[in-house]
Amino acid sequence: MRSKSNHIKSDLSKSIFIKGARMHNLKNIDVEIPRNKLVVITGVSGSGKSTLAFDTLYAEGQRRYVESLSSYARQFLERMEKPDVDYIKGLSPAIAIEQKVTTATTRSTVGTLTEIYDYLRLLYGRIGETYSPISNDLVVKHTVSDVVDYILSFEEGERYQILAPLILPSTAQEDFLKELILKGINRVFVNGQASRLDQISEDVDLYNDLILSTDKWIIIDRSMVRKEEEAINRMADSVHQAFELGEGYCKVDFPSIRQMEFSTKFELDGMVFDEPTPQFFNFNSPYGACETCEGFGSILGIDHDLVIPDKNLSLYEGAVAPWNSSKLGKWKKKFIQYADEINFPIHTPIIDLTEEQYDRLWNGARPALGINDFFREVESQTYKIQYRVLLSRYRGRTLCNQCKGTRLRKETQFVKINNTSIGELLKMTISDLHQWMKNIKLTESQTQIAKRMLIEISSRLQFMMDVGLDYLSLNRFSNTLSGGETQRINLTRTLGSNLTGSLYILDEPSIGLHPLDTNNLIRILKHLRDLGNTVIVVEHEEDIIRNADHLIDIGPAAGRFGGEVVYSGPSDVEGKESLTLQYLNGELEIAVPSRRRKPLNYIKVTGAREHNLKNIDVQIPLQALTVVSGVSGSGKSTLVKQIIYPALLNQLGDYSEKPGLHKSFVVPSKGVDKVEMIDQNPIGRSSRSNPVTYIKAYDAIRQLYAAQNLSKIRGYKPKHFSFNVDGGRCETCKGEGEIIIEMQFLADIHLTCDECGGKRFKKEVLEVQYKGKSIADVLEMSIEESIEFFEDKKDLVRKLQPLDDVGLGYIQLGQSSSTLSGGEAQRVKLASFLQKGWSKNPILFLFDEPTTGLHFHDIVKLLKSFNALIDLGHTVVVVEHDLDVIKCADYVIDLGPKGGKGGGELLFQGTPEDLIEEKKSITGKFLTAKLR
């Protein structure tokens, strides 16, 4: 829909104007976006929200930035795809924060991603104090002024002497002594006795005593403490000479009081220490990385889970697998023999042992030898093949025993601030680290140095707590974070820079957030706006939409039926054409089911203790919709992804994943024959993967084209209509449809292939047509269009229909999988299961936040898909925060009450109606308004 006015006249300082936007499915629209406001762009999936925000606004901002660069960069601009728009006026520098499941390397952590660790490295490198591991004394590198200050600390008139160790060269020792005399050095101490150097040179006995003695010192100066300037200058000259002759060492002797040694070298207790620098604490550098694990934090070692596969057994019952053989059983017998002496409970299940008892089992305690002693014995006999086989059986990825997972060289633990090493900070949760920063105590000089660093660290930690990430730790791997967590971390980093006058474009920052945390996110977005920025959020979350200064609703439907501005204005008005406003105003709603399913059988998990789960017992009803809810970090993903999923795999005979710590896992007979985890990971990592290949529909399309008359005449086979193999694909771009130019200092540029024009196939292959369309034309069709186009091919339509049923009718058949959002990838997986129609064997489907990217209207379709699966006899378990999904569940498992250490408790399990009566449940409080 075009704006009423075809000519925009207004103040550019107050608005951004988009004229004639036609990217993808946008229908030549005009949009006015108020500056310095919180603007929400919403609409059903595929309506064109992201196209407007990212492919038009952000892409144009990027293009203008590159245009300001050198001629080397600009030479590619003519060939870069520009947003299809007449013009955009009033555009500020654009920053995009997208939500994608990160594919960062194992060297990337929360600390490096937020830049907090960079500031911590700088902090420890500048004010960290090194302590000797032997005496625990502070290691100090002395200067001339340190020695002078020490001497001046005594009362005037006290006699002292400045000494330097006499270090003789290996040859020409007599000549060296003569040189000392020429420098004005007359006396030395040898074994505590003072002697003149000229006498030593003439007396053979004295000379031999000097050569053989290990206690010999040069007397540089003898004087009394005086505080006049002339005396201080003489003192400093003498100390400087002492350091020079003593190769960095000197001693000040107050004969009637005490002696004090000084060194310009960084050493103590016979150990030489590295001076702290920021690079010293860098685990991505050979200088700072742990030598054992090379900065990865884990090594190939003895895997505890392989050695003790069943933690519900006690030592006496045979928990330690390698000790169960007749030959090696002697180790178990000996340990049991001395168990009373070391206070070890042999009949207690391993899962119930205290940390101290568990450590004793592994490391032993005299006279009992532990599991590690056993494996050391095995390693000493690896010349025997049976021991090499035994060792390989129990090897796996384990925590590095040198750095304990900090990934830093062991010497870094000697450097401390407030008696805490940087490795200890890495293991703290964000909330604990924030508290530590609040209580830090520094000297006046340290405060001056660290002032700016402390502000940066504390502000970033506070932002992380505000967006509900207080349960993470800095050494958490980036590739274990969800898309929502990654986006909020990127938002934290952006907030830390305190930019103003910029355009921020965010893609669903509420993903993974409990309604409790959404309020904090809204506050942060408003703070970003109040700094003088324009904040544009592509969002479906109700509270964020209601808090927007300006709402833009794109629609009215998806794909070719979308791409129009249905509504633009405040969010608190009536709007008949806008689906969003109809849901906000209550004209439309996601209805609560008229009845809840009453299951007869349950999967039962007892004693779940992985990560922060606190020994909870959970039951999951079969052939029902179960939602696992709770605040961020409460333990939902741990329960579903790390216990239920791998434990069920193990029961079904697939031992590819190890389940987290729990006592028992019971599945009713014939209750589940298969388990499927449908998360937001990409369905394909290459640009060649697409939805139509994932659901196996492309094979049928290729066969259809190979069956055409022209194909038969030319001898074309189905392979000629594939862009993955030689034959019919364009050889210039190898079937990619684009050429990639490496820009070195910028992101790579993707250019349309000149040979095939982005069609991917050779011209002669494109001459083969079905109903007037080539294979390339078909790949550019949306799912909706293709269903109409192939309506006479029932088998093919049957494969494509589920994609439309789950709300993906707008995506193109040949759209690269790498361009799909996490939520879209998840729904493609769901569609593949619906298409196969699993009607015989009951399956447990596990979904991780399936409402990602879904409008209220799309959630209705999603719930229909869930119900379709359950009606076929399957079970659906969903990790979710969306209240509309929770209220439609048959059963809710609510964890909490907080995240991290404060979570992991089972607050409630039962129906949504009973959940709102549970006073401990935060989810229940928010759900009340939806059910009453």
Side-chain angles (χ1 to χ4, degrees):
M1 183 177 77
R2 301 269 309 186
S3 294
K4 290 181 181 178
S5 171
N6 290 324
H7 185 63
I8 297 172
K9 291 182 179 178
S10 190
D11 188 354
L12 294 180
S13 66
K14 293 183 179 178
S15 297
I16 298 168
F17 300 102
I18 302 172
K19 173 77 172 172
R22 295 175 293 275
M23 282 295 289
H24 300 156
N25 68 331
L26 296 182
K27 294 186 172 69
N28 200 31
I29 61 173
D30 302 340
V31 184
E32 180 176 345
I33 300 172
R35 293 172 64 87
N36 301 334
K37 300 290 183 183
L38 174 57
V39 179
V40 170
I41 300 177
T42 190
V44 297
S45 294
S47 61
K49 306 181 301 298
S50 296
T51 298
L52 177 63
F54 293 97
D55 299 332
T56 303
L57 261 180
Y58 177 62
E60 177 63 10
Q62 229 184 2
R63 188 188 71 80
R64 291 183 187 182
Y65 164 69
V66 177
E67 204 168 44
S68 69
L69 298 176
S70 69
S71 57
Y72 170 75
R74 291 202 305 274
Q75 69 180 306
F76 298 102
L77 279 176
E78 292 303 315
R79 301 175 65 195
M80 282 181 69
E81 184 182 351
K82 295 180 181 180
D84 189 1
V85 60
D86 290 343
Y87 62 77
I88 300 177
K89 291 186 177 180
L91 185 60
S92 305
I95 299 163
I97 306 175
E98 299 180 77
Q99 68 88 14
K100 286 183 179 177
V101 177
T102 179
T103 53
T105 68
T106 50
R107 289 195 175 275
S108 174
T109 64
V110 169
T112 58
L113 209 56
T114 57
E115 298 174 356
I116 292 174
Y117 187 61
D118 296 323
Y119 284 107
L120 280 177
R121 288 197 296 115
L122 190 59
L123 185 71
Y124 271 77
R126 295 291 175 254
I127 67 168
E129 297 178 323
T130 304
Y131 291 85
S132 167
I134 298 171
S135 62
N136 204 34
D137 290 336
L138 182 65
V139 182
V140 179
K141 181 181 179 181
H142 297 112
T143 62
V144 171
S145 59
D146 291 331
V147 183
V148 171
D149 290 343
Y150 171 74
I151 295 171
L152 293 176
S153 67
F154 289 85
E155 294 182 8
E156 287 203 26
E158 285 287 352
R159 298 197 66 84
Y160 69 90
Q161 48 193 4
I162 297 173
L163 311 173
L166 177 54
I167 302 168
L168 294 170
S170 55
T171 59
Q173 292 168 341
E174 287 187 41
D175 293 341
F176 181 73
L177 294 177
K178 288 175 183 177
E179 286 177 18
L180 288 179
I181 294 172
L182 290 173
K183 288 180 181 179
I185 306 298
N186 296 316
R187 291 177 173 274
V188 294
F189 270 121
V190 181
N191 296 326
Q193 298 295 319
S195 302
R196 291 182 62 82
L197 273 177
D198 52 3
Q199 290 176 340
I200 292 173
S201 299
E202 296 169 359
D203 190 318
V204 176
D205 292 334
L206 288 175
Y207 179 77
N208 288 334
D209 286 345
L210 176 71
I211 299 299
L212 298 172
S213 174
T214 55
D215 181 25
K216 44 184 178 278
W217 296 81
I218 302 169
I219 302 174
I220 302 293
D221 193 10
R222 284 178 169 177
S223 186
M224 289 188 296
V225 178
R226 298 187 190 282
K227 300 187 179 178
E228 297 88 2
E229 185 178 347
E230 187 179 344
I232 293 173
N233 288 338
R234 172 185 166 180
M235 195 186 299
D237 289 340
S238 298
V239 172
H240 185 272
Q241 187 180 21
F243 277 139
E244 190 177 316
L245 293 173
E247 296 182 2
Y249 299 94
C250 84
K251 180 163 65 175
V252 177
D253 179 23
F254 283 86
S256 59
I257 307 173
R258 60 173 160 163
Q259 295 181 339
M260 185 74 173
E261 292 188 15
F262 295 89
S263 170
T264 58
K265 297 183 179 179
F266 204 60
E267 62 181 29
L268 188 67
D269 299 331
M271 291 179 65
V272 178
F273 297 87
D274 289 292
E275 292 185 57
T277 63
Q279 197 66 3
F280 183 63
F281 302 97
N282 186 359
F283 48 70
N284 288 326
S285 159
Y287 183 55
C290 168
E291 293 178 0
T292 304
C293 65
E294 298 180 340
F296 284 100
S298 61
I299 56 171
L300 191 64
I302 302 303
D303 191 328
H304 286 216
D305 292 324
L306 293 176
V307 175
I308 308 175
D310 187 352
K311 293 178 174 59
N312 293 313
L313 299 177
S314 66
L315 173 68
Y316 187 83
E317 292 169 327
V320 182
W323 288 359
N324 288 334
S325 70
S326 55
K327 185 176 180 181
L328 301 175
K330 62 183 180 181
W331 285 84
K332 174 181 166 183
K333 288 178 183 176
K334 283 185 180 179
F335 194 93
I336 291 173
Q337 182 182 341
Y338 298 116
D340 284 342
E341 291 185 42
I342 64 170
N343 194 29
F344 183 88
I346 61 172
H347 295 293
T348 301
I350 301 299
I351 196 172
D352 293 327
L353 294 178
T354 64
E355 270 188 51
E356 186 182 350
Q357 290 166 344
Y358 187 74
D359 182 70
R360 211 169 291 157
L361 174 62
W362 276 90
N363 295 316
R366 291 187 179 180
L369 296 176
I371 298 172
N372 284 334
D373 296 308
F374 163 73
F375 279 106
R376 275 192 286 272
E377 175 72 20
V378 171
E379 285 169 355
S380 69
Q381 299 188 54
T382 49
Y383 58 87
K384 298 178 182 178
I385 189 169
Q386 64 266 35
Y387 284 107
R388 292 201 297 274
V389 172
L390 176 70
L391 204 57
S392 66
R393 192 180 301 161
Y394 298 105
R395 281 199 179 281
R397 274 280 160 196
T398 60
L399 193 70
C400 175
N401 52 17
Q402 182 75 30
C403 65
K404 307 299 182 188
T406 65
R407 312 201 284 183
L408 293 165
R409 54 192 290 190
K410 65 178 181 181
E411 290 83 2
T412 58
Q413 66 185 345
F414 305 151
V415 185
K416 299 182 180 181
I417 296 175
N418 278 189
N419 204 33
T420 308
S421 69
I422 196 169
E424 292 173 277
L425 298 187
L426 287 174
K427 295 178 181 178
M428 290 183 185
T429 61
I430 296 300
S431 56
D432 289 344
L433 180 55
H434 188 253
Q435 193 60 42
W436 183 86
M437 292 297 298
K438 277 185 177 180
N439 298 329
I440 194 171
K441 293 177 182 176
L442 304 175
T443 64
E444 190 175 338
S445 62
Q446 286 177 327
T447 303
Q448 287 295 318
I449 296 168
K451 186 176 180 181
R452 186 63 199 167
M453 291 176 266
L454 294 175
I455 291 171
E456 292 289 348
I457 295 169
S458 296
S459 65
R460 279 168 164 77
L461 291 173
Q462 184 61 56
F463 286 139
M464 288 192 73
M465 293 177 70
D466 290 343
V467 295
L469 297 175
D470 55 320
Y471 56 90
L472 296 177
S473 60
L474 291 185
N475 67 346
R476 169 88 173 260
F477 292 121
S478 297
N479 56 9
T480 65
L481 299 171
S482 68
E485 286 171 332
T486 304
Q487 191 185 15
R488 296 201 298 280
I489 282 175
N490 290 335
L491 180 60
T492 298
R493 183 169 57 186
T494 304
L495 286 167
S497 62
N498 284 321
L499 291 174
T500 59
S502 299
L503 171 64
Y504 284 93
I505 305 175
L506 290 86
D507 187 11
E508 293 194 79
S510 68
I511 292 169
L513 278 187
H514 189 274
L516 175 71
D517 300 312
T518 303
N519 294 327
N520 286 329
L521 176 64
I522 292 168
R523 187 162 52 82
I524 284 179
L525 294 175
K526 288 183 175 179
H527 169 72
L528 200 58
R529 173 202 64 189
D530 295 341
L531 285 173
N533 299 298
T534 304
V535 183
I536 297 177
V537 184
V538 177
E539 189 56 85
H540 300 290
E541 213 286 329
E542 185 176 336
D543 286 339
I544 294 180
I545 294 173
R546 291 188 184 278
N547 278 275
D549 300 319
H550 190 85
L551 176 67
I552 298 173
D553 193 19
I554 306 294
R560 56 181 172 159
F561 301 111
E564 299 179 22
V565 179
V566 177
Y567 173 79
S568 180
S571 60
D572 55 353
V573 298
E574 298 289 325
K576 292 294 182 183
E577 291 184 2
S578 170
L579 277 173
T580 303
L581 290 177
Q582 288 181 54
Y583 276 99
L584 290 178
N585 297 330
E587 295 172 40
L588 292 175
E589 65 173 357
I590 298 172
V592 177
S594 56
R595 64 177 185 85
R596 308 281 183 194
R597 296 180 181 89
K598 294 182 179 178
L600 302 174
N601 292 317
Y602 295 85
I603 294 172
K604 295 182 179 178
V605 183
T606 61
R609 313 186 179 187
E610 185 72 6
H611 296 326
N612 66 334
L613 295 180
K614 296 181 172 63
N615 197 25
I616 62 172
D617 299 338
V618 174
Q619 56 182 22
I620 299 151
L622 296 178
Q623 296 181 23
L625 173 58
T626 300
V627 172
V628 182
S629 64
V631 298
S632 301
S634 59
K636 306 181 298 299
S637 294
T638 300
L639 176 64
V640 174
K641 287 185 175 182
Q642 298 184 31
I643 294 182
I644 295 172
Y645 178 56
L648 189 50
L649 278 178
N650 284 193
Q651 287 223 357
L652 298 172
D654 182 347
Y655 299 96
S656 57
E657 294 193 38
K658 293 182 293 188
L661 211 56
H662 66 284
K663 275 194 173 181
S664 67
F665 186 87
V666 180
V667 183
S669 60
K670 298 182 180 179
V672 178
D673 286 348
K674 193 174 182 182
V675 59
E676 294 288 350
M677 170 62 74
I678 305 176
D679 56 21
Q680 294 179 22
N681 288 330
I683 59 174
R685 298 192 180 277
S686 77
S687 57
R688 297 177 183 280
S689 170
N690 54 46
V692 75
T693 57
Y694 187 83
I695 62 170
K696 309 297 183 189
Y698 194 43
D699 294 341
I701 294 173
R702 289 191 294 117
Q703 287 169 359
L704 176 63
Y705 272 83
Q708 300 307 305
N709 289 332
L710 185 57
S711 294
K712 291 176 180 177
I713 293 168
R714 293 180 176 179
Y716 291 160
K717 304 294 181 188
K719 71 172 187 177
H720 287 86
F721 299 93
S722 169
F723 45 75
N724 287 326
V725 294
D726 294 340
R729 73 179 183 183
C730 170
E731 288 306 317
T732 303
C733 62
K734 303 295 184 187
E736 293 280 0
E738 61 183 17
I739 306 294
I740 298 173
I741 304 291
E742 293 185 4
M743 290 289 285
Q744 298 178 14
F745 60 92
L746 288 172
D748 294 344
I749 292 177
H750 297 253
L751 306 172
T752 301
C753 174
D754 289 334
E755 181 67 26
C756 66
K759 300 287 188 182
R760 296 185 171 199
F761 295 93
K762 294 175 180 176
K763 289 179 181 178
E764 52 268 31
V765 170
L766 296 177
E767 290 171 3
V768 179
Q769 296 189 344
Y770 174 74
K771 291 186 178 179
K773 300 287 186 182
S774 70
I775 187 73
D777 295 331
V778 168
L779 290 174
E780 289 178 0
M781 289 180 182
S782 68
I783 298 295
E784 258 179 341
E785 290 172 320
S786 67
I787 289 173
E788 290 179 16
F789 183 72
F790 292 114
E791 60 183 348
D792 55 332
K793 302 294 180 184
K794 300 301 181 186
D795 288 343
L796 182 52
V797 169
R798 197 177 298 118
K799 291 181 178 181
L800 295 170
Q801 188 63 49
L803 283 170
D804 192 38
D805 292 343
V806 296
L808 293 178
Y810 60 90
I811 63 174
Q812 290 180 329
L813 284 181
Q815 186 173 335
S816 172
S817 296
S818 60
T819 65
L820 299 177
S821 69
E824 286 172 333
Q826 198 174 32
R827 278 175 280 147
V828 170
K829 295 174 190 176
L830 172 59
S832 73
F833 291 114
L834 288 171
Q835 178 227 97
K836 293 170 187 173
W838 305 91
S839 56
K840 295 181 180 178
N841 303 321
I843 302 171
L844 174 63
F845 289 98
L846 303 172
F847 288 87
D848 183 18
E849 297 187 54
T851 60
T852 299
L854 291 189
H855 186 268
F856 308 110
H857 208 57
D858 299 312
I859 292 174
V860 175
K861 295 180 182 177
L862 180 73
L863 290 169
K864 284 180 181 176
S865 298
F866 286 162
N867 289 326
L869 287 173
I870 295 166
D871 291 343
L872 289 170
H874 307 309
T875 302
V876 177
V877 177
V878 181
V879 176
E880 190 54 81
H881 296 289
D882 189 279
L883 296 174
D884 286 314
V885 175
I886 296 173
K887 77 179 184 184
C888 293
D890 299 307
Y891 196 81
V892 181
I893 298 170
D894 194 44
L895 304 181
K898 298 179 180 178
K901 293 179 183 176
E905 296 178 22
L906 177 63
L907 302 181
F908 172 84
Q909 52 183 342
T911 63
E913 283 77 13
D914 292 334
L915 173 60
I916 62 176
E917 304 298 331
E918 176 55 57
K919 293 180 180 179
K920 287 184 181 178
S921 172
I922 298 171
T923 307
K925 292 175 185 175
F926 284 94
L927 190 63
T928 303
K930 292 282 184 180
L931 290 175
R932 288 180 177 171

